[in-house]
Amino acid sequence: PRNHFPKLEPWQRYNHMIGRELYDEKAAFAEGMGRYCSQKHHFKEQMHCSLPYLPYSFLLDNNDHVKAFLKLMEDAPPKAFVLKASDVNMGKGITMMGPDSQKLKDLRYTLENEGTTFNKYSEKGEFILQEYICNGLLFENQFKFDLRFHWFVASIDPLVVLFHDGFGRVSNVEYTESDFSNFDAHVTNISQNGRAVSWEDVATNIRRHFTHHEELAYRLGKDLDPVSHVLNQMKAILADIINSFREASFGVGSPLSDNGFNILALDFYIDNDLDVFLIEPQSQPKLDHTDEAGQAAGRTVARKFQSDFLDVAVEVTRKQQILGHSILPLQNMGNFEVVYDTESQPNFRFSYEYPRPDKKKGCTI
């Protein structure tokens, strides 16, 4: 708000937004998405509602979450989990728990017998237990990978959010789903010795997989473009996130809202059904991969993103705060695409529907 930043000139905007910390705190983000899901589907209790693209997530200092986890362990096929410290990033604070591992058995025993809210996990801080997505699509049929894609809040008032392409992050250790003994085979973070590959290389991998699996063409349609299918899921997930945090994060409808901008990122994972899962958001994505070996693809994407970002930021500022014009349409979009817009009438929100399998393959033991 202007009274919070009295030194800002009329043509200047601050590069943060209300509630930005919600994208750093894994627990707060999971709670926010749970509330959105229960409101969207009219569930009274958050734990009875799940979004298909979100892995099951449980807060270990929450009684209801712990009970839901224990019930899932009784009813569901074999599942693996990832134990994460809520406020730690870059692949740190992570413990892998295979479906039949001693670590998972110990965790389950602790939660069943030593209380729920006050246990040895919650005493160390906030922890979130997230379902490990099995049956994942591999890069070159050998390596686990995920996707880092960027998004840009070009304006908060009106709210205009843009989606930008990204790159793949690939583990350098050959992957075997049933083997959780090698941590590096299961993490793709560049900070954990992963490597970056271009979105074009990932797209080639997706098309090859679609071509070699006739059941996908049967379910999704033989004329489907599998790459657009994956991209559309990511854009729709982003639009859902914006809807979830429309007030808490962007201050829409609040007297505290004032114009600004923000650069963020999302990490996605794809399984062999070409279903996309949201792993977690990033409020401070790294945009410089200048010195790391094997990060040429990351550098290329970062430079293109920075160039596109500057073009859009300058155009938005000039239109809105100097000329008093509408923001859209943008003349210099680059690789950006609008996924959420409250300036247009009616408001625009990207959406995508397709037949997603009701039951997913369990983890290999």
Side-chain angles (χ1 to χ4, degrees), residues 10-35:
W11 60 86
Q12 294 178 318
R13 297 188 301 157
Y14 58 98
N15 66 335
H16 292 282
M17 61 191 186
I18 298 170
R20 179 183 177 185
E21 67 278 1
L22 293 172
Y23 302 98
D24 284 325
E25 292 281 346
K26 297 177 179 66
F29 181 79
E31 286 186 300
M33 294 301 290
R35 283 193 297 271

PDB file of all heavy atoms in Angstrom, residues 10-35:
ATOM      1  N   PRO A  10       5.005   7.893  -8.345  1.00  0.00           N
ATOM      2  CA  PRO A  10       3.788   7.389  -8.986  1.00  0.00           C
ATOM      3  C   PRO A  10       4.053   6.329 -10.057  1.00  0.00           C
ATOM      4  O   PRO A  10       3.187   5.487 -10.309  1.00  0.00           O
ATOM      5  CB  PRO A  10       3.167   8.650  -9.597  1.00  0.00           C
ATOM      6  CG  PRO A  10       3.680   9.763  -8.737  1.00  0.00           C
ATOM      7  CD  PRO A  10       5.075   9.363  -8.350  1.00  0.00           C
ATOM      8  N   TRP A  11       5.214   6.368 -10.695  1.00  0.00           N
ATOM      9  CA  TRP A  11       5.504   5.412 -11.763  1.00  0.00           C
ATOM     10  C   TRP A  11       6.222   4.152 -11.253  1.00  0.00           C
ATOM     11  O   TRP A  11       6.563   3.266 -12.018  1.00  0.00           O
ATOM     12  CB  TRP A  11       6.364   6.070 -12.849  1.00  0.00           C
ATOM     13  CG  TRP A  11       7.691   6.564 -12.341  1.00  0.00           C
ATOM     14  CD1 TRP A  11       8.846   5.855 -12.216  1.00  0.00           C
ATOM     15  CD2 TRP A  11       7.979   7.874 -11.864  1.00  0.00           C
ATOM     16  NE1 TRP A  11       9.851   6.627 -11.692  1.00  0.00           N
ATOM     17  CE2 TRP A  11       9.350   7.891 -11.471  1.00  0.00           C
ATOM     18  CE3 TRP A  11       7.238   9.058 -11.733  1.00  0.00           C
ATOM     19  CZ2 TRP A  11       9.954   9.020 -10.960  1.00  0.00           C
ATOM     20  CZ3 TRP A  11       7.864  10.181 -11.240  1.00  0.00           C
ATOM     21  CH2 TRP A  11       9.202  10.158 -10.855  1.00  0.00           C
ATOM     22  N   GLN A  12       6.436   4.084  -9.941  1.00  0.00           N
ATOM     23  CA  GLN A  12       7.141   2.941  -9.373  1.00  0.00           C
ATOM     24  C   GLN A  12       6.170   1.944  -8.738  1.00  0.00           C
ATOM     25  O   GLN A  12       5.094   2.321  -8.279  1.00  0.00           O
ATOM     26  CB  GLN A  12       8.140   3.418  -8.308  1.00  0.00           C
ATOM     27  CG  GLN A  12       9.286   4.245  -8.872  1.00  0.00           C
ATOM     28  CD  GLN A  12      10.219   4.734  -7.782  1.00  0.00           C
ATOM     29  OE1 GLN A  12       9.766   5.165  -6.720  1.00  0.00           O
ATOM     30  NE2 GLN A  12      11.510   4.665  -8.038  1.00  0.00           N
ATOM     31  N   ARG A  13       6.584   0.669  -8.714  1.00  0.00           N
ATOM     32  CA  ARG A  13       5.795  -0.387  -8.072  1.00  0.00           C
ATOM     33  C   ARG A  13       6.728  -1.242  -7.235  1.00  0.00           C
ATOM     34  O   ARG A  13       7.892  -1.428  -7.583  1.00  0.00           O
ATOM     35  CB  ARG A  13       5.096  -1.269  -9.120  1.00  0.00           C
ATOM     36  CG  ARG A  13       4.096  -0.516  -9.967  1.00  0.00           C
ATOM     37  CD  ARG A  13       3.299  -1.467 -10.838  1.00  0.00           C
ATOM     38  NE  ARG A  13       4.161  -2.242 -11.719  1.00  0.00           N
ATOM     39  CZ  ARG A  13       3.811  -3.414 -12.246  1.00  0.00           C
ATOM     40  NH1 ARG A  13       2.650  -3.956 -11.940  1.00  0.00           N
ATOM     41  NH2 ARG A  13       4.624  -4.043 -13.058  1.00  0.00           N
ATOM     42  N   TYR A  14       6.217  -1.796  -6.135  1.00  0.00           N
ATOM     43  CA  TYR A  14       7.056  -2.645  -5.310  1.00  0.00           C
ATOM     44  C   TYR A  14       6.995  -4.074  -5.836  1.00  0.00           C
ATOM     45  O   TYR A  14       5.991  -4.516  -6.395  1.00  0.00           O
ATOM     46  CB  TYR A  14       6.648  -2.569  -3.834  1.00  0.00           C
ATOM     47  CG  TYR A  14       5.224  -2.944  -3.515  1.00  0.00           C
ATOM     48  CD1 TYR A  14       4.910  -4.214  -3.058  1.00  0.00           C
ATOM     49  CD2 TYR A  14       4.194  -2.021  -3.644  1.00  0.00           C
ATOM     50  CE1 TYR A  14       3.602  -4.565  -2.743  1.00  0.00           C
ATOM     51  CE2 TYR A  14       2.892  -2.360  -3.337  1.00  0.00           C
ATOM     52  CZ  TYR A  14       2.603  -3.622  -2.901  1.00  0.00           C
ATOM     53  OH  TYR A  14       1.320  -3.962  -2.600  1.00  0.00           O
ATOM     54  N   ASN A  15       8.100  -4.802  -5.651  1.00  0.00           N
ATOM     55  CA  ASN A  15       8.214  -6.134  -6.260  1.00  0.00           C
ATOM     56  C   ASN A  15       7.946  -7.258  -5.259  1.00  0.00           C
ATOM     57  O   ASN A  15       8.606  -8.290  -5.271  1.00  0.00           O
ATOM     58  CB  ASN A  15       9.598  -6.322  -6.896  1.00  0.00           C
ATOM     59  CG  ASN A  15      10.703  -6.332  -5.870  1.00  0.00           C
ATOM     60  OD1 ASN A  15      10.548  -5.767  -4.800  1.00  0.00           O
ATOM     61  ND2 ASN A  15      11.819  -6.961  -6.183  1.00  0.00           N
ATOM     62  N   HIS A  16       6.965  -7.038  -4.392  1.00  0.00           N
ATOM     63  CA  HIS A  16       6.512  -8.073  -3.468  1.00  0.00           C
ATOM     64  C   HIS A  16       4.998  -8.001  -3.395  1.00  0.00           C
ATOM     65  O   HIS A  16       4.388  -7.036  -3.856  1.00  0.00           O
ATOM     66  CB  HIS A  16       7.118  -7.882  -2.069  1.00  0.00           C
ATOM     67  CG  HIS A  16       8.588  -8.109  -2.018  1.00  0.00           C
ATOM     68  ND1 HIS A  16       9.153  -9.353  -1.993  1.00  0.00           N
ATOM     69  CD2 HIS A  16       9.622  -7.226  -2.025  1.00  0.00           C
ATOM     70  CE1 HIS A  16      10.471  -9.244  -1.976  1.00  0.00           C
ATOM     71  NE2 HIS A  16      10.776  -7.970  -1.986  1.00  0.00           N
ATOM     72  N   MET A  17       4.409  -9.007  -2.816  1.00  0.00           N
ATOM     73  CA  MET A  17       2.959  -8.997  -2.687  1.00  0.00           C
ATOM     74  C   MET A  17       2.564  -9.497  -1.300  1.00  0.00           C
ATOM     75  O   MET A  17       3.340 -10.186  -0.628  1.00  0.00           O
ATOM     76  CB  MET A  17       2.313  -9.865  -3.773  1.00  0.00           C
ATOM     77  CG  MET A  17       2.709 -11.324  -3.734  1.00  0.00           C
ATOM     78  SD  MET A  17       2.167 -12.195  -5.205  1.00  0.00           S
ATOM     79  CE  MET A  17       2.627 -13.887  -4.757  1.00  0.00           C
ATOM     80  N   ILE A  18       1.376  -9.150  -0.901  1.00  0.00           N
ATOM     81  CA  ILE A  18       0.852  -9.581   0.390  1.00  0.00           C
ATOM     82  C   ILE A  18       0.829 -11.109   0.443  1.00  0.00           C
ATOM     83  O   ILE A  18       0.433 -11.775  -0.499  1.00  0.00           O
ATOM     84  CB  ILE A  18      -0.569  -9.027   0.593  1.00  0.00           C
ATOM     85  CG1 ILE A  18      -0.536  -7.498   0.600  1.00  0.00           C
ATOM     86  CG2 ILE A  18      -1.190  -9.560   1.877  1.00  0.00           C
ATOM     87  CD1 ILE A  18      -1.909  -6.877   0.551  1.00  0.00           C
ATOM     88  N   GLY A  19       1.256 -11.666   1.555  1.00  0.00           N
ATOM     89  CA  GLY A  19       1.167 -13.112   1.716  1.00  0.00           C
ATOM     90  C   GLY A  19       2.149 -13.907   0.887  1.00  0.00           C
ATOM     91  O   GLY A  19       1.946 -15.103   0.659  1.00  0.00           O
ATOM     92  N   ARG A  20       3.228 -13.280   0.466  1.00  0.00           N
ATOM     93  CA  ARG A  20       4.218 -14.004  -0.332  1.00  0.00           C
ATOM     94  C   ARG A  20       4.793 -15.202   0.435  1.00  0.00           C
ATOM     95  O   ARG A  20       5.154 -16.225  -0.151  1.00  0.00           O
ATOM     96  CB  ARG A  20       5.346 -13.040  -0.712  1.00  0.00           C
ATOM     97  CG  ARG A  20       6.468 -13.654  -1.514  1.00  0.00           C
ATOM     98  CD  ARG A  20       7.553 -12.633  -1.761  1.00  0.00           C
ATOM     99  NE  ARG A  20       8.689 -13.218  -2.468  1.00  0.00           N
ATOM    100  CZ  ARG A  20       9.818 -12.560  -2.728  1.00  0.00           C
ATOM    101  NH1 ARG A  20       9.937 -11.310  -2.338  1.00  0.00           N
ATOM    102  NH2 ARG A  20      10.796 -13.139  -3.365  1.00  0.00           N
ATOM    103  N   GLU A  21       4.854 -15.089   1.763  1.00  0.00           N
ATOM    104  CA  GLU A  21       5.439 -16.152   2.575  1.00  0.00           C
ATOM    105  C   GLU A  21       4.632 -17.446   2.499  1.00  0.00           C
ATOM    106  O   GLU A  21       5.133 -18.526   2.838  1.00  0.00           O
ATOM    107  CB  GLU A  21       5.555 -15.714   4.032  1.00  0.00           C
ATOM    108  CG  GLU A  21       4.233 -15.516   4.766  1.00  0.00           C
ATOM    109  CD  GLU A  21       3.585 -14.166   4.517  1.00  0.00           C
ATOM    110  OE1 GLU A  21       4.153 -13.362   3.744  1.00  0.00           O
ATOM    111  OE2 GLU A  21       2.503 -13.913   5.089  1.00  0.00           O
ATOM    112  N   LEU A  22       3.383 -17.366   2.026  1.00  0.00           N
ATOM    113  CA  LEU A  22       2.570 -18.572   1.896  1.00  0.00           C
ATOM    114  C   LEU A  22       3.175 -19.557   0.909  1.00  0.00           C
ATOM    115  O   LEU A  22       2.881 -20.751   0.946  1.00  0.00           O
ATOM    116  CB  LEU A  22       1.151 -18.199   1.441  1.00  0.00           C
ATOM    117  CG  LEU A  22       0.310 -17.396   2.437  1.00  0.00           C
ATOM    118  CD1 LEU A  22      -0.985 -16.929   1.799  1.00  0.00           C
ATOM    119  CD2 LEU A  22       0.018 -18.220   3.681  1.00  0.00           C
ATOM    120  N   TYR A  23       4.022 -19.062   0.009  1.00  0.00           N
ATOM    121  CA  TYR A  23       4.650 -19.926  -0.989  1.00  0.00           C
ATOM    122  C   TYR A  23       5.990 -20.465  -0.512  1.00  0.00           C
ATOM    123  O   TYR A  23       6.597 -21.287  -1.201  1.00  0.00           O
ATOM    124  CB  TYR A  23       4.807 -19.169  -2.311  1.00  0.00           C
ATOM    125  CG  TYR A  23       3.482 -18.668  -2.828  1.00  0.00           C
ATOM    126  CD1 TYR A  23       3.084 -17.351  -2.609  1.00  0.00           C
ATOM    127  CD2 TYR A  23       2.616 -19.521  -3.493  1.00  0.00           C
ATOM    128  CE1 TYR A  23       1.855 -16.900  -3.058  1.00  0.00           C
ATOM    129  CE2 TYR A  23       1.385 -19.071  -3.938  1.00  0.00           C
ATOM    130  CZ  TYR A  23       1.007 -17.757  -3.724  1.00  0.00           C
ATOM    131  OH  TYR A  23      -0.215 -17.311  -4.153  1.00  0.00           O
ATOM    132  N   ASP A  24       6.460 -20.002   0.619  1.00  0.00           N
ATOM    133  CA  ASP A  24       7.696 -20.524   1.213  1.00  0.00           C
ATOM    134  C   ASP A  24       7.409 -21.569   2.273  1.00  0.00           C
ATOM    135  O   ASP A  24       8.197 -22.489   2.484  1.00  0.00           O
ATOM    136  CB  ASP A  24       8.507 -19.388   1.849  1.00  0.00           C
ATOM    137  CG  ASP A  24       9.220 -18.538   0.812  1.00  0.00           C
ATOM    138  OD1 ASP A  24       9.653 -19.098  -0.209  1.00  0.00           O
ATOM    139  OD2 ASP A  24       9.316 -17.324   1.013  1.00  0.00           O
ATOM    140  N   GLU A  25       6.292 -21.414   2.947  1.00  0.00           N
ATOM    141  CA  GLU A  25       5.928 -22.329   4.024  1.00  0.00           C
ATOM    142  C   GLU A  25       5.086 -23.478   3.464  1.00  0.00           C
ATOM    143  O   GLU A  25       3.920 -23.294   3.112  1.00  0.00           O
ATOM    144  CB  GLU A  25       5.138 -21.577   5.105  1.00  0.00           C
ATOM    145  CG  GLU A  25       5.958 -20.558   5.865  1.00  0.00           C
ATOM    146  CD  GLU A  25       6.825 -21.211   6.939  1.00  0.00           C
ATOM    147  OE1 GLU A  25       6.590 -22.392   7.246  1.00  0.00           O
ATOM    148  OE2 GLU A  25       7.739 -20.536   7.437  1.00  0.00           O
ATOM    149  N   LYS A  26       5.679 -24.652   3.373  1.00  0.00           N
ATOM    150  CA  LYS A  26       4.965 -25.796   2.785  1.00  0.00           C
ATOM    151  C   LYS A  26       3.684 -26.112   3.549  1.00  0.00           C
ATOM    152  O   LYS A  26       2.658 -26.463   2.958  1.00  0.00           O
ATOM    153  CB  LYS A  26       5.886 -27.018   2.749  1.00  0.00           C
ATOM    154  CG  LYS A  26       7.120 -26.838   1.871  1.00  0.00           C
ATOM    155  CD  LYS A  26       8.021 -28.061   1.936  1.00  0.00           C
ATOM    156  CE  LYS A  26       9.254 -27.914   1.047  1.00  0.00           C
ATOM    157  NZ  LYS A  26      10.158 -26.845   1.509  1.00  0.00           N
ATOM    158  N   ALA A  27       3.731 -25.987   4.869  1.00  0.00           N
ATOM    159  CA  ALA A  27       2.553 -26.286   5.680  1.00  0.00           C
ATOM    160  C   ALA A  27       1.443 -25.273   5.417  1.00  0.00           C
ATOM    161  O   ALA A  27       0.275 -25.648   5.237  1.00  0.00           O
ATOM    162  CB  ALA A  27       2.928 -26.296   7.161  1.00  0.00           C
ATOM    163  N   ALA A  28       1.777 -23.995   5.377  1.00  0.00           N
ATOM    164  CA  ALA A  28       0.773 -22.957   5.128  1.00  0.00           C
ATOM    165  C   ALA A  28       0.164 -23.114   3.737  1.00  0.00           C
ATOM    166  O   ALA A  28      -1.047 -22.928   3.549  1.00  0.00           O
ATOM    167  CB  ALA A  28       1.398 -21.571   5.280  1.00  0.00           C
ATOM    168  N   PHE A  29       0.988 -23.467   2.771  1.00  0.00           N
ATOM    169  CA  PHE A  29       0.481 -23.656   1.416  1.00  0.00           C
ATOM    170  C   PHE A  29      -0.488 -24.841   1.365  1.00  0.00           C
ATOM    171  O   PHE A  29      -1.557 -24.765   0.762  1.00  0.00           O
ATOM    172  CB  PHE A  29       1.635 -23.873   0.448  1.00  0.00           C
ATOM    173  CG  PHE A  29       1.197 -24.057  -0.979  1.00  0.00           C
ATOM    174  CD1 PHE A  29       0.840 -22.960  -1.746  1.00  0.00           C
ATOM    175  CD2 PHE A  29       1.138 -25.321  -1.555  1.00  0.00           C
ATOM    176  CE1 PHE A  29       0.418 -23.121  -3.066  1.00  0.00           C
ATOM    177  CE2 PHE A  29       0.727 -25.495  -2.860  1.00  0.00           C
ATOM    178  CZ  PHE A  29       0.365 -24.389  -3.624  1.00  0.00           C
ATOM    179  N   ALA A  30      -0.116 -25.951   2.001  1.00  0.00           N
ATOM    180  CA  ALA A  30      -0.982 -27.129   2.008  1.00  0.00           C
ATOM    181  C   ALA A  30      -2.318 -26.817   2.673  1.00  0.00           C
ATOM    182  O   ALA A  30      -3.388 -27.246   2.203  1.00  0.00           O
ATOM    183  CB  ALA A  30      -0.287 -28.290   2.724  1.00  0.00           C
ATOM    184  N   GLU A  31      -2.289 -26.060   3.771  1.00  0.00           N
ATOM    185  CA  GLU A  31      -3.528 -25.694   4.457  1.00  0.00           C
ATOM    186  C   GLU A  31      -4.402 -24.803   3.575  1.00  0.00           C
ATOM    187  O   GLU A  31      -5.624 -24.967   3.512  1.00  0.00           O
ATOM    188  CB  GLU A  31      -3.212 -24.987   5.765  1.00  0.00           C
ATOM    189  CG  GLU A  31      -2.713 -25.917   6.871  1.00  0.00           C
ATOM    190  CD  GLU A  31      -2.551 -25.198   8.191  1.00  0.00           C
ATOM    191  OE1 GLU A  31      -1.766 -24.242   8.248  1.00  0.00           O
ATOM    192  OE2 GLU A  31      -3.205 -25.605   9.161  1.00  0.00           O
ATOM    193  N   GLY A  32      -3.763 -23.859   2.880  1.00  0.00           N
ATOM    194  CA  GLY A  32      -4.508 -22.963   2.000  1.00  0.00           C
ATOM    195  C   GLY A  32      -5.186 -23.708   0.860  1.00  0.00           C
ATOM    196  O   GLY A  32      -6.356 -23.441   0.536  1.00  0.00           O
ATOM    197  N   MET A  33      -4.479 -24.663   0.247  1.00  0.00           N
ATOM    198  CA  MET A  33      -5.067 -25.448  -0.835  1.00  0.00           C
ATOM    199  C   MET A  33      -6.176 -26.356  -0.305  1.00  0.00           C
ATOM    200  O   MET A  33      -7.174 -26.595  -0.991  1.00  0.00           O
ATOM    201  CB  MET A  33      -3.989 -26.272  -1.530  1.00  0.00           C
ATOM    202  CG  MET A  33      -2.957 -25.451  -2.279  1.00  0.00           C
ATOM    203  SD  MET A  33      -3.649 -24.396  -3.575  1.00  0.00           S
ATOM    204  CE  MET A  33      -4.154 -25.613  -4.788  1.00  0.00           C
ATOM    205  N   GLY A  34      -6.008 -26.863   0.930  1.00  0.00           N
ATOM    206  CA  GLY A  34      -7.057 -27.679   1.536  1.00  0.00           C
ATOM    207  C   GLY A  34      -8.335 -26.891   1.754  1.00  0.00           C
ATOM    208  O   GLY A  34      -9.441 -27.378   1.500  1.00  0.00           O
ATOM    209  N   ARG A  35      -8.198 -25.646   2.222  1.00  0.00           N
ATOM    210  CA  ARG A  35      -9.375 -24.789   2.413  1.00  0.00           C
ATOM    211  C   ARG A  35     -10.066 -24.518   1.092  1.00  0.00           C
ATOM    212  O   ARG A  35     -11.293 -24.565   0.985  1.00  0.00           O
ATOM    213  CB  ARG A  35      -8.968 -23.469   3.078  1.00  0.00           C
ATOM    214  CG  ARG A  35      -8.713 -23.567   4.564  1.00  0.00           C
ATOM    215  CD  ARG A  35      -8.631 -22.198   5.198  1.00  0.00           C
ATOM    216  NE  ARG A  35      -7.511 -21.428   4.659  1.00  0.00           N
ATOM    217  CZ  ARG A  35      -6.276 -21.452   5.167  1.00  0.00           C
ATOM    218  NH1 ARG A  35      -6.009 -22.205   6.220  1.00  0.00           N
ATOM    219  NH2 ARG A  35      -5.317 -20.713   4.642  1.00  0.00           N
TER     220      ARG A  35
END
